[in-house]
Amino acid sequence: MGVISFSEANCKNCYACVRACPVQSIKIKNEQAIIMEERCIACGLCLKACPKNVKKIETELEKVKQFIKSGQSVVVSLAPTAFGVFKNQGHKLVAALKKLGVSHVEETVVGAEVVTQVYETYQHFHLDKCYITSCCASVNLLIEKHYPKVIPHLIPVITPLMAHARMLKLKYGQDVKVVFVGPCLAKKIEGEEEESISAVLTIQELKQWFNEAGIKLNELEEVPLDDGLVSQRTYPMVGGMSKCFNEKDKKIEIVSVDGIRDCIEVIEGIERGEFKNIFFEMSACHHSCLGGPAIGEECENIFNRKMRIKDYARQTQPLHEMSEGGRLSLINLNRVFKNQYSPIIQPSEKEIELILNNIGKYSSMDELNCGSCGYPTCRQKAIAVYNHMAEPTMCLPYMKHKAETYSHVIFDVTPSIILVVDKSLTIIDFNPAAERFFEVKKDQAIDLPVSIFLDEASFSSVIESKSDLLGHRLSLNENKTIVIQSIIWIEQQEVMLCILHDMTSEMAHELKMQHLKINAIDMAQQVINKQMIVAQEIASLLGETTAETKVTLTRLKRLIQEDEGGLS
């Protein structure tokens, strides 16, 4: 089951989630962060790290609402952390939940009592072995997915939530829907694995439910829990579980570890055989469950939560008899942890070298190990690229250098004259084309007023209007040079980019072409005039010869007629 995802629309390539993930379970594909479920331990650190609020937690709130709407009996297993989160109104949570339609509310620590009894037996063992508590779902996933060699050190017992869910089924009937409410995301995965758990809600989702239903805790009366078994209320605090142990005759040291990175350090030490006869009480969250990832961003600081939990724990009531007619003996507390190891493929040195070369790293000196890509070293990033977990373009120094190189090339080779001028009308940059045009070196032009080279009135106008001036024609050097000037206002840097295109040669060529065209027209007109004269002369000659021909032919006709008349 996937419990976390990221919105495609707002992922901004900051790689904060990649940096925060302690087990490299986030890959970047097409510039989008994606959770790799086979590696994720649902610790929630990526959610806290994301600066753009693009995280999305899979919710079962509508599912729970549907349980109630359809008339099914819903029983809530409430994590004691909730009593530390809701300020001084924790005692009113039961009333609020029952107002929403929940039939019964018990604390998850009811199940913790049973699990603690099993744990307690391990503190008397002396087998040169280390043991790790299995209360924390994230720690369990961490070991199963990333450190399977340490599975034998996990105490093979179900979590307090699993135990409580099974107890609730026995107590209220197999048809009831057991819903856990707590600060943990990994419990959502646990809820999918445990058939006695119907749904898992976070404290943040509970707050949302209250808001949607218009429930205000301060307007409600206090209602007691449906079970008085509350001796384990310190469970959500660091060392809270082991504090419930009977210290008599213990043969093994008990050490509390909180925070996923410290847990990893200890687990790797166990894997190397560095510890013996130590009982590790582990919690993936810093400050244990009180620092859970799904409490809500508006929650008060951790120390206020601790104080409230301590005050709440002092209200411990006498314990009920645990047998309850022997029903607890029907609960199977055993658990088998599975090897879910999904290794990262290790490329060869040649393959790593090739990937590094592709992002401009040809020697160890080029490997900055800056961590901007989310990985602590360039080599680790290269391994991630090889495993299709990262993209070469995630290397920000390389991409910055590449972008700067391209921009510098364009700036240097363009034939356009470019000046960068600040608000005080001082030149702050000068490209090679400008050096050639104004016959001044860049280092000499920098910090000079732009008025030495150009009329500053146009620049002042752009500053005042904050609008660009485009395609303005200027004559320079006593009208010997003609340029097209564009001044572009850059708001973020509050500078002006002045681009001049020297049109002198183009204008000279155009003028030359105009003269050629005029000369050609004159020549054509002269030819036409001559042709008209010739045509007129030809027409005159043709007229004279035609008349003479007519006279001659007329005479010839008469002679013939006269000759024919004489003969007759």
Side-chain angles (χ1 to χ4, degrees):
M1 173 186 179
V3 299
I4 308 170
S5 60
F6 294 93
S7 168
E8 292 187 17
N10 294 319
C11 201
K12 298 298 182 183
N13 299 325
C14 67
Y15 312 126
C17 57
V18 178
R19 256 188 309 279
C21 182
V23 291
Q24 294 185 15
S25 67
I26 298 175
K27 69 178 179 181
I28 303 295
K29 184 176 181 180
N30 298 326
E31 301 183 347
Q32 172 65 40
I34 301 171
I35 302 290
M36 302 169 64
E37 302 301 337
E38 68 276 12
R39 298 186 59 82
C40 180
I41 61 173
C43 65
L45 290 180
C46 59
L47 302 185
K48 294 181 178 181
C50 179
K52 299 301 293 183
N53 197 30
V54 302
K55 60 235 180 195
K56 178 184 176 184
I57 300 174
E58 295 301 321
T59 178
E60 294 182 292
L61 182 54
E62 292 303 319
K63 180 180 178 181
V64 176
K65 289 179 180 179
Q66 189 58 39
F67 288 156
I68 296 173
K69 186 177 180 180
S70 62
Q72 298 181 78
S73 179
V74 174
V75 180
V76 166
S77 175
L78 185 62
T81 300
F83 294 90
V85 171
F86 285 92
K87 298 183 179 180
N88 297 319
Q89 299 172 340
H91 294 283
K92 299 180 180 182
L93 288 174
V94 178
L97 286 166
K98 291 193 174 181
K99 188 172 182 179
L100 290 169
V102 172
S103 57
H104 299 88
V105 182
E106 293 189 12
E107 287 187 89
T108 314
V109 291
V110 174
E113 178 71 20
V114 183
V115 173
T116 301
Q117 290 177 6
V118 179
Y119 284 159
E120 201 168 4
T121 62
Y122 282 82
Q123 71 170 328
H124 302 296
F125 291 172
H126 186 72
L127 301 173
D128 289 338
K129 185 178 179 179
C130 294
Y131 297 98
I132 302 173
T133 57
S134 56
C135 289
C136 178
S138 281
V139 170
N140 296 339
L141 289 171
L142 172 66
I143 293 173
E144 286 183 310
K145 292 185 176 183
H146 300 278
Y147 299 95
K149 292 181 181 179
V150 182
I151 288 178
H153 296 272
L154 264 175
I155 298 176
V157 63
I158 59 177
T159 66
L161 170 58
M162 290 178 171
H164 192 216
R166 296 177 187 184
M167 293 169 68
L168 292 173
K169 287 278 190 178
L170 286 173
K171 184 175 181 178
Y172 298 108
Q174 294 299 317
D175 293 335
V176 301
K177 299 297 182 181
V178 176
V179 177
F180 172 71
V181 176
C184 184
L185 293 178
K187 290 296 185 187
K188 287 182 176 286
I189 298 177
E190 186 176 297
E192 288 290 310
E193 297 174 351
E194 173 58 44
E195 61 181 13
S196 298
I197 303 171
S198 301
V200 172
L201 300 180
T202 65
I203 292 176
Q204 195 167 7
E205 289 172 300
L206 181 61
K207 292 177 180 178
Q208 177 187 336
W209 196 5
F210 287 166
N211 289 334
E212 291 175 357
I215 290 178
K216 298 180 180 179
L217 293 178
N218 59 352
E219 297 177 355
L220 301 177
E221 298 292 331
E222 291 186 10
V223 175
L225 291 154
D226 290 296
D227 197 296
L229 185 63
V230 291
S231 65
Q232 309 291 324
R233 282 176 173 166
T234 59
Y235 240 75
M237 300 174 63
V238 176
M241 181 272 296
S242 56
K243 288 177 182 177
C244 302
F245 281 2
N246 184 348
E247 295 289 318
K248 185 178 180 181
D249 299 327
K250 74 171 185 176
K251 296 182 179 180
I252 193 169
E253 186 68 26
I254 300 174
V255 176
S256 298
V257 184
D258 65 307
I260 193 65
R261 301 193 188 279
D262 285 348
C263 288
I264 289 174
E265 188 174 346
V266 170
I267 288 169
E268 290 178 346
I270 293 173
E271 200 172 43
R272 292 190 296 266
E274 296 177 0
F275 307 111
K276 292 182 179 180
N277 296 318
I278 299 179
F279 185 104
F280 288 107
E281 180 186 353
M282 286 195 183
S283 175
C285 293
H286 191 40
H287 298 295
S288 194
C289 299
L290 286 177
I295 290 174
E297 295 179 358
E298 75 284 356
C299 190
E300 284 187 316
N301 68 64
I302 188 69
F303 302 102
N304 286 334
R305 280 175 260 163
K306 282 185 177 181
M307 293 305 299
R308 282 195 287 270
I309 285 292
K310 286 182 178 180
D311 291 341
Y312 185 56
R314 294 190 188 102
Q315 303 171 24
T316 302
Q317 302 173 13
L319 300 182
H320 292 309
E321 289 294 328
M322 290 298 300
S323 63
E324 294 191 4
R327 286 184 300 169
L328 294 182
S329 62
L330 301 176
I331 297 176
N332 180 10
L333 298 177
N334 296 325
R335 183 177 183 182
V336 177
F337 291 98
K338 300 172 291 185
N339 184 338
Q340 302 184 54
Y341 185 48
S342 179
I344 292 176
I345 301 172
Q346 182 65 36
S348 65
E349 284 298 316
K350 186 67 177 176
E351 289 167 324
I352 293 175
E353 181 181 344
L354 181 61
I355 293 171
L356 290 173
N357 289 348
N358 287 336
I359 54 175
K361 303 184 187 306
Y362 299 96
S363 68
S364 58
M365 295 295 293
D366 297 325
E367 297 176 25
L368 301 179
N369 301 325
C370 64
S372 61
C373 62
Y375 294 90
T377 68
C378 296
R379 287 180 60 84
Q380 284 181 271
K381 189 276 184 80
I383 294 171
V385 170
Y386 182 83
N387 282 271
H388 306 291
M389 295 166 57
E391 298 174 327
T393 53
M394 290 168 61
C395 182
L396 299 188
Y398 170 69
M399 294 304 292
K400 180 175 180 290
H401 172 72
K402 188 175 181 181
E404 288 177 344
T405 299
Y406 287 155
S407 63
H408 287 162
V409 168
I410 295 170
F411 189 78
D412 289 343
V413 305
T414 181
S416 296
I417 302 153
I418 300 177
L419 300 82
V420 182
V421 181
D422 64 16
K423 290 194 303 181
S424 63
L425 303 182
T426 300
I427 295 172
I428 60 175
D429 208 347
F430 210 68
N431 79 334
E435 289 182 320
R436 293 189 294 271
F437 183 81
F438 292 111
E439 298 180 348
V440 177
K441 291 297 182 183
K442 176 179 177 177
D443 56 354
Q444 296 173 330
I446 298 298
D447 295 331
L448 289 177
V450 71
S451 59
I452 291 179
F453 305 101
L454 299 165
D455 181 11
E456 67 178 28
S458 298
F459 293 89
S460 299
S461 175
V462 168
I463 293 174
E464 291 174 4
S465 64
K466 299 293 190 297
S467 59
D468 301 338
L469 176 67
L470 304 176
H472 181 57
R473 182 169 172 171
L474 291 178
S475 295
L476 304 176
N477 301 328
E478 298 179 353
N479 297 325
K480 295 179 181 179
T481 305
I482 300 172
V483 297
I484 300 298
Q485 180 187 57
S486 294
I487 304 175
I488 301 168
W489 172 254
I490 303 175
E491 180 66 31
Q492 290 180 332
Q493 285 76 31
E494 293 190 322
V495 298
M496 290 168 285
L497 182 68
C498 176
I499 303 174
L500 302 175
H501 183 56
D502 186 357
M503 297 293 293
T504 306
S505 59
E506 286 89 341
M507 294 299 293
H509 178 70
E510 185 178 340
L511 185 61
K512 181 180 179 180
M513 292 301 297
Q514 287 179 347
H515 287 316
L516 289 174
K517 290 176 182 177
I518 292 171
N519 291 336
I521 291 172
D522 289 343
M523 291 175 65
Q525 187 64 49
Q526 292 174 10
V527 170
I528 291 171
N529 291 338
K530 289 180 180 179
Q531 287 178 337
M532 289 296 293
I533 294 171
V534 171
Q536 289 173 356
E537 291 176 352
I538 292 172
S540 177
L541 291 172
L542 285 174
E544 291 178 3
T545 55
T546 301
E548 292 174 356
T549 302
K550 182 178 180 181
V551 170
T552 303
L553 289 175
T554 301
R555 289 176 179 175
L556 179 61
K557 178 179 178 183
R558 288 176 180 173
L559 288 173
I560 293 172
Q561 288 176 343
E562 290 176 356
D563 185 55
E564 288 181 350
L567 291 174
S568 62

Tab-separated table of all heavy atoms in Angstrom, residues 275-295:
chain	number	residue	atom	x	y	z
A	275	PHE	N	27.446	-4.953	19.284
A	275	PHE	CA	26.732	-4.902	20.561
A	275	PHE	C	26.375	-6.298	21.056
A	275	PHE	O	26.129	-7.207	20.265
A	275	PHE	CB	25.435	-4.084	20.415
A	275	PHE	CG	25.637	-2.710	19.836
A	275	PHE	CD1	25.174	-2.394	18.568
A	275	PHE	CD2	26.289	-1.732	20.566
A	275	PHE	CE1	25.353	-1.139	18.027
A	275	PHE	CE2	26.472	-0.465	20.047
A	275	PHE	CZ	26.006	-0.168	18.776
A	276	LYS	N	26.334	-6.432	22.365
A	276	LYS	CA	25.921	-7.684	22.990
A	276	LYS	C	25.092	-7.369	24.231
A	276	LYS	O	25.347	-6.394	24.933
A	276	LYS	CB	27.135	-8.528	23.386
A	276	LYS	CG	27.927	-9.089	22.208
A	276	LYS	CD	29.077	-9.959	22.686
A	276	LYS	CE	29.853	-10.547	21.504
A	276	LYS	NZ	30.986	-11.396	21.977
A	277	ASN	N	24.096	-8.217	24.464
A	277	ASN	CA	23.265	-8.115	25.677
A	277	ASN	C	22.668	-6.717	25.863
A	277	ASN	O	22.735	-6.126	26.930
A	277	ASN	CB	24.086	-8.492	26.918
A	277	ASN	CG	24.540	-9.938	26.879
A	277	ASN	OD1	23.776	-10.812	26.500
A	277	ASN	ND2	25.781	-10.176	27.251
A	278	ILE	N	22.105	-6.197	24.776
A	278	ILE	CA	21.433	-4.899	24.848
A	278	ILE	C	20.016	-5.041	24.290
A	278	ILE	O	19.804	-5.659	23.248
A	278	ILE	CB	22.198	-3.808	24.069
A	278	ILE	CG1	23.601	-3.607	24.646
A	278	ILE	CG2	21.434	-2.483	24.092
A	278	ILE	CD1	24.428	-2.566	23.919
A	279	PHE	N	19.093	-4.476	25.016
A	279	PHE	CA	17.691	-4.448	24.607
A	279	PHE	C	17.413	-3.041	24.075
A	279	PHE	O	17.388	-2.078	24.841
A	279	PHE	CB	16.804	-4.760	25.826
A	279	PHE	CG	15.340	-4.882	25.521
A	279	PHE	CD1	14.736	-6.125	25.460
A	279	PHE	CD2	14.553	-3.761	25.318
A	279	PHE	CE1	13.376	-6.242	25.210
A	279	PHE	CE2	13.207	-3.850	25.068
A	279	PHE	CZ	12.612	-5.100	24.999
A	280	PHE	N	17.254	-2.933	22.746
A	280	PHE	CA	17.066	-1.627	22.123
A	280	PHE	C	15.573	-1.328	21.961
A	280	PHE	O	14.854	-2.058	21.277
A	280	PHE	CB	17.737	-1.574	20.752
A	280	PHE	CG	19.234	-1.520	20.818
A	280	PHE	CD1	20.003	-2.637	20.484
A	280	PHE	CD2	19.890	-0.373	21.222
A	280	PHE	CE1	21.384	-2.595	20.536
A	280	PHE	CE2	21.284	-0.315	21.279
A	280	PHE	CZ	22.032	-1.433	20.942
A	281	GLU	N	15.136	-0.258	22.606
A	281	GLU	CA	13.769	0.230	22.417
A	281	GLU	C	13.837	1.304	21.332
A	281	GLU	O	14.305	2.414	21.575
A	281	GLU	CB	13.215	0.809	23.713
A	281	GLU	CG	11.806	1.335	23.575
A	281	GLU	CD	11.318	2.031	24.831
A	281	GLU	OE1	12.015	1.989	25.865
A	281	GLU	OE2	10.234	2.639	24.772
A	282	MET	N	13.380	0.966	20.130
A	282	MET	CA	13.578	1.846	18.977
A	282	MET	C	12.290	2.512	18.526
A	282	MET	O	11.223	1.902	18.499
A	282	MET	CB	14.166	1.062	17.795
A	282	MET	CG	15.620	0.712	17.946
A	282	MET	SD	16.314	0.190	16.359
A	282	MET	CE	17.989	-0.224	16.897
A	283	SER	N	12.442	3.770	18.145
A	283	SER	CA	11.354	4.520	17.534
A	283	SER	C	11.921	5.327	16.373
A	283	SER	O	12.928	6.012	16.525
A	283	SER	CB	10.709	5.468	18.551
A	283	SER	OG	9.738	6.277	17.924
A	284	ALA	N	11.277	5.243	15.207
A	284	ALA	CA	11.780	5.925	14.022
A	284	ALA	C	11.688	7.444	14.140
A	284	ALA	O	12.481	8.165	13.544
A	284	ALA	CB	11.009	5.465	12.783
A	285	CYS	N	10.727	7.915	14.899
A	285	CYS	CA	10.528	9.368	15.017
A	285	CYS	C	11.374	9.957	16.138
A	285	CYS	O	11.484	9.365	17.217
A	285	CYS	CB	9.055	9.682	15.274
A	285	CYS	SG	7.988	9.285	13.881
A	286	HIS	N	11.947	11.106	15.867
A	286	HIS	CA	12.653	11.844	16.903
A	286	HIS	C	11.636	12.246	17.969
A	286	HIS	O	10.550	12.720	17.647
A	286	HIS	CB	13.309	13.078	16.296
A	286	HIS	CG	14.267	13.768	17.204
A	286	HIS	ND1	15.146	13.087	18.020
A	286	HIS	CD2	14.498	15.099	17.425
A	286	HIS	CE1	15.863	13.963	18.700
A	286	HIS	NE2	15.488	15.183	18.353
A	287	HIS	N	11.967	12.028	19.242
A	287	HIS	CA	11.048	12.218	20.359
A	287	HIS	C	9.955	11.150	20.375
A	287	HIS	O	8.893	11.336	20.959
A	287	HIS	CB	10.398	13.607	20.346
A	287	HIS	CG	11.369	14.732	20.474
A	287	HIS	ND1	12.122	14.947	21.609
A	287	HIS	CD2	11.710	15.714	19.599
A	287	HIS	CE1	12.886	16.008	21.426
A	287	HIS	NE2	12.668	16.481	20.218
A	288	SER	N	10.226	10.019	19.694
A	288	SER	CA	9.298	8.889	19.649
A	288	SER	C	7.962	9.306	19.035
A	288	SER	O	7.916	10.201	18.182
A	288	SER	CB	9.126	8.301	21.048
A	288	SER	OG	8.498	7.030	20.982
A	289	CYS	N	6.866	8.701	19.480
A	289	CYS	CA	5.565	8.924	18.828
A	289	CYS	C	5.068	10.353	18.987
A	289	CYS	O	4.233	10.817	18.199
A	289	CYS	CB	4.528	7.956	19.383
A	289	CYS	SG	4.951	6.221	19.112
A	290	LEU	N	5.563	11.070	19.985
A	290	LEU	CA	5.152	12.463	20.156
A	290	LEU	C	5.640	13.342	19.013
A	290	LEU	O	5.133	14.439	18.803
A	290	LEU	CB	5.679	13.020	21.483
A	290	LEU	CG	4.964	12.536	22.748
A	290	LEU	CD1	5.632	13.105	23.980
A	290	LEU	CD2	3.493	12.913	22.717
A	291	GLY	N	6.642	12.850	18.281
A	291	GLY	CA	7.156	13.583	17.122
A	291	GLY	C	6.685	12.984	15.818
A	291	GLY	O	7.335	13.163	14.786
A	292	GLY	N	5.561	12.279	15.855
A	292	GLY	CA	5.030	11.627	14.659
A	292	GLY	C	4.800	12.589	13.510
A	292	GLY	O	4.542	13.776	13.718
A	293	PRO	N	4.854	12.082	12.272
A	293	PRO	CA	4.769	12.953	11.091
A	293	PRO	C	3.368	13.418	10.734
A	293	PRO	O	3.213	14.310	9.908
A	293	PRO	CB	5.327	12.067	9.975
A	293	PRO	CG	4.981	10.678	10.403
A	293	PRO	CD	5.102	10.672	11.905
A	294	ALA	N	2.328	12.812	11.324
A	294	ALA	CA	0.954	13.122	10.899
A	294	ALA	C	0.130	13.720	12.031
A	294	ALA	O	-1.052	13.441	12.183
A	294	ALA	CB	0.284	11.858	10.366
A	295	ILE	N	0.766	14.566	12.819
A	295	ILE	CA	0.069	15.229	13.928
A	295	ILE	C	-0.621	16.494	13.453
A	295	ILE	O	-1.705	16.839	13.891
A	295	ILE	CB	1.068	15.542	15.071
A	295	ILE	CG1	1.497	14.236	15.752
A	295	ILE	CG2	0.451	16.494	16.079
A	295	ILE	CD1	2.575	14.424	16.792
